[in-house]
Amino acid sequence: MSLLRVDHVDKSYGEERVLRDVSFEMERQDVEVIVGPSGSGKSTMLRCVNRLTEIDDGEIYLDGEEIHDLDQNDLRRRVGMVFQDFNLFAHRTARGNITLGLEEVLGKSHEEATRVAEDYLERVGLADQADSYPAELSGGQQQRVGIARALAMEPELLLFDEPTSALDPELIGEVLDVMHDLAEEGMTMLCVTHEMDFARSVASTLTVLDDGQIVERGPPEQLFENPEHERTRAFLGDLTDVR
Ligand SMILES: Nc1ncnc2c1ncn2[C@@H]1O[C@H](COP(=O)(O)OP(=O)(O)OP(=O)(O)O)[C@@H](O)[C@H]1O
Ligand SMILES: [Mg+2]
């Protein structure tokens, strides 16, 4: 059974149809990269999967269960999210950003939460920054804390919404390296990113979204080398030229 099945999903804001009959499936350990022009509905698609945004029509299944039948807190634990602007709590240390969910959502003791948080900080190369506040960390370090915080909840699926777009170019690599390692360890990841080298080398599936519709979807090499649609060629060509 697919880990994620998005089935004929529609979403409008007022008169504007932002997602139009979107359907796709992800298996466990898949890494799906979604690309598309600004305003094409990429963030909305991700946000529908963990119900930060509610869909108007269609269904979304996580491991066979319709997400609207799940307890919302349970869904958010099972589907983690990493944001473009990190979304860290400014008044909590790196460790404290991670222990919060472990204690309040998972009910772990403070000692246990601290141990787990430090394990995950070590995994993202930040063992020595546990006591730092977000303002004391670089953007790349803050984003790695964001990833560690999401991972600590042991999600089944991780959503990434342009995780490197707010970073200075020299800090992008350290975040992509962490994402690369996660993919190799078998984490199932649904990523919106413009990092085409990452898409080429890590994604199992690449999806082009335009105006709320899937234009083309398939193995990245196929979309890069032999796209079926002119729209795909034009869009991937533009992104590849920029870098
Ligand atoms: N909360 C909202 N209320 C009203 N309109 C919204 C809301 N969120 C998104 N939209 C609109 O929905 C459309 C799709 O937005 P979305 O953020 O999903 O696009 P995107 O592909 O992520 O774009 P970008 O690449 O700029 O991040 C846009 O036209 C946007 O203005
Ligand atoms: Mg977006």
Side-chain angles (χ1 to χ4, degrees), residues 13 16 18 36-45 84 161-162 192 194 209:
Y13 286 112
E16 187 190 2
V18 176
S38 184
S40 57
K42 305 180 298 295
S43 297
T44 303
M45 186 65 253
Q84 177 173 348
D161 193 359
E162 302 203 32
V192 174
H194 299 307
L209 199 64

Side-chain angles (χ1 to χ4, degrees), residues 73-74 76-77 99-108 153:
N73 288 329
D74 197 33
R76 301 252 171 94
R77 198 212 47 78
T99 55
L100 186 65
L102 293 170
E103 290 177 43
E104 302 216 333
V105 180
L106 299 188
K108 290 189 189 295
M153 304 302 280

Side-chain angles (χ1 to χ4, degrees), residues 177-236:
D177 285 347
V178 169
M179 292 171 67
H180 188 280
D181 289 349
L182 285 179
E184 281 196 337
E185 288 162 21
M187 176 59 73
T188 312
M189 296 158 62
L190 177 56
C191 314
V192 174
T193 177
H194 299 307
E195 293 297 328
M196 289 300 103
D197 291 340
F198 177 83
R200 255 180 204 269
S201 59
V202 180
S204 37
T205 308
L206 180 58
T207 293
V208 179
L209 199 64
D210 191 13
D211 200 17
Q213 285 181 304
I214 294 180
V215 175
E216 191 162 352
R217 181 168 186 269
E221 57 271 24
Q222 182 185 314
L223 269 70
F224 280 106
E225 311 305 336
N226 199 13
E228 264 182 49
H229 295 278
E230 182 48 37
R231 198 77 198 88
T232 304
R233 187 189 307 277
F235 186 70
L236 293 180

Side-chain angles (χ1 to χ4, degrees), residues 139-150:
Q141 291 173 326
Q142 290 183 59
Q143 190 56 295
R144 286 187 282 148
V145 174
I147 294 173
R149 180 176 63 179

Side-chain angles (χ1 to χ4, degrees), residues 1 11 23 37 47 60 107 136 179 193 242:
M1 187 187 297
K11 171 69 187 175
S23 298
R47 294 167 59 86
I60 300 177
E136 300 170 323
M179 292 171 67
T193 177
V242 170

Side-chain angles (χ1 to χ4, degrees), residues 2 38 54-55 68 70 92-93 115 124 141 153 191 203 223:
S2 304
S38 184
E54 294 291 359
I55 60 178
H68 298 86
L70 297 172
R92 298 183 74 103
T93 62
R115 194 185 60 70
V124 299
Q141 291 173 326
M153 304 302 280
C191 314
L223 269 70

